[in-house]
Amino acid sequence: MAELPTAYAAAMRIATALREADVDYAIGGALALNLWGPARGTRDVDVNLFVTDDRLDEVFAALHAAGVDVDPAQARQAAGREGMFIGRLDGMRIDLFVPSIDFSWEAAATRVTVETASGPVDFLSAESLAVF
């Protein structure tokens, strides 16, 4: 059985692909929470995508480049209905959130860029995490 990537490693792959595709995003969930408080483990990756519906094809291409499996038709439908869609990276769940409330754009404006070994990575701010 192949070893699953860590959530952090998966997030770095996804962040790199989104950055290279010029897609605005921020890593959220437990990985972002770890910047602002005691570390917490996780088995998935939460990514907030700050794009309008007309850019979803670019998002799907970037995710594919990172190795994330997403069915574009199902993802587009779920994004419109639920404000999110789910992908898989080597078996790991990737939750991808699209703007579904006005606060999403505030979260985009207040995200924090952290220099990592993978390059700059955007994370949700502590204030945005409190809302989401």
Side-chain angles (χ1 to χ4, degrees), residues 23-90:
V23 171
D24 289 334
Y25 75 93
I27 303 299
L31 293 172
L33 186 61
N34 290 343
L35 293 176
W36 311 111
R40 187 185 109 186
T42 186
R43 292 184 177 183
D44 71 349
V45 176
D46 295 341
V47 181
N48 292 74
L49 301 164
F50 305 114
V51 297
T52 54
D53 290 347
D54 61 320
R55 292 201 61 206
L56 284 176
D57 287 335
E58 295 171 61
V59 170
F60 300 145
L63 293 172
H64 178 75
V68 178
D69 293 323
V70 173
D71 179 307
Q74 288 180 354
R76 188 178 299 280
Q77 189 175 52
R81 185 178 61 245
E82 301 165 23
M84 68 161 302
F85 59 95
I86 298 169
R88 296 268 175 201
L89 176 59
D90 296 332

Side-chain angles (χ1 to χ4, degrees), residues 7-17 19 27 31 45 116-119 121 123:
Y8 180 81
M12 295 305 101
R13 280 174 57 182
I14 294 165
T16 298
R19 183 177 67 247
I27 303 299
L31 293 172
V45 176
T116 72
S118 300
V121 175
F123 290 87

